[in-house]
Amino acid sequence: MGIDEIIEFVGGFEGVLVLRPQAGDGSPEIAWGDVFFYYAPDGNVPTATQPFATIVTKDYPGDEGSRLDRPGAFRVNTAVGKDAFERWTESTDPSAVDVLQAHPVYGDAGWLAVVNPGPATEAALRDLLRTAHGRARQRYERRSALRQP
């Protein structure tokens, strides 16, 4: 699965806002080239929630274990929740390719990651991205219901 294929897949979910920071848009330089997926049916970037999935194309400070400095390496991260997290974690090498594993930084919060997803993880990753989208939508709907008088 390539980056564009993942963007097309997740971007096709109902209510998804795909954010692709780049030079000149006011986003921090470290985020340029990465992709953030939000559940935002109004089309505005939420201010009180995190994305439900991301694609990162480089190592971030304190998160170098995936070795995204390798040519062509990227990592898909998805907030799947504790149940799915426990069901899918298997690897302890954060740089392993095409293996679902705990996110090297946010694993404790129920995030899974896969470096360069391929045939071994494609079907599971698609399901997990659907799960993360559904969870984000439920959070949005709960928050919206609380704001209504």
Side-chain angles (χ1 to χ4, degrees), residues 65-132:
S66 297
R67 297 194 41 239
L68 300 179
D69 56 345
R70 296 174 284 175
F74 67 95
R75 187 178 69 214
V76 179
N77 308 299
T78 185
V80 298
K82 296 288 185 180
D83 291 340
F85 174 85
E86 289 175 7
R87 193 170 44 246
W88 285 102
T89 52
E90 62 179 78
S91 175
T92 57
D93 176 4
S95 67
V97 173
D98 201 16
V99 176
L100 278 165
Q101 56 195 316
H103 184 284
V105 176
Y106 301 110
D108 289 343
W111 281 74
L112 287 174
V114 59
V115 174
N116 290 18
T121 57
E122 181 175 358
L125 181 59
R126 287 177 185 272
D127 286 342
L128 292 166
L129 288 164
R130 283 186 201 99
T131 296

Side-chain angles (χ1 to χ4, degrees), residues 1-142:
M1 293 181 80
I3 292 173
D4 290 336
E5 182 181 359
I6 296 164
I7 293 169
E8 183 178 335
F9 177 72
V10 179
F13 295 164
E14 177 265 325
V16 170
L17 173 66
V18 178
L19 185 64
R20 298 184 82 167
Q22 57 188 348
D25 68 4
S27 61
E29 185 175 350
I30 187 92
W32 297 352
D34 294 340
V35 184
F36 302 85
F37 300 99
Y38 292 91
Y39 183 77
D42 61 2
N44 295 312
V45 178
T47 57
T49 190
Q50 296 291 318
F52 68 86
T54 64
I55 300 172
V56 294
T57 58
K58 68 194 85 53
D59 291 325
Y60 278 70
D63 182 16
E64 295 87 6
S66 297
R67 297 194 41 239
L68 300 179
D69 56 345
R70 296 174 284 175
F74 67 95
R75 187 178 69 214
V76 179
N77 308 299
T78 185
V80 298
K82 296 288 185 180
D83 291 340
F85 174 85
E86 289 175 7
R87 193 170 44 246
W88 285 102
T89 52
E90 62 179 78
S91 175
T92 57
D93 176 4
S95 67
V97 173
D98 201 16
V99 176
L100 278 165
Q101 56 195 316
H103 184 284
V105 176
Y106 301 110
D108 289 343
W111 281 74
L112 287 174
V114 59
V115 174
N116 290 18
T121 57
E122 181 175 358
L125 181 59
R126 287 177 185 272
D127 286 342
L128 292 166
L129 288 164
R130 283 186 201 99
T131 296
H133 170 260
R135 293 179 75 243
R137 187 169 90 199
Q138 288 173 342
R139 276 192 307 276
Y140 177 91
E141 289 169 353
R142 273 194 313 271

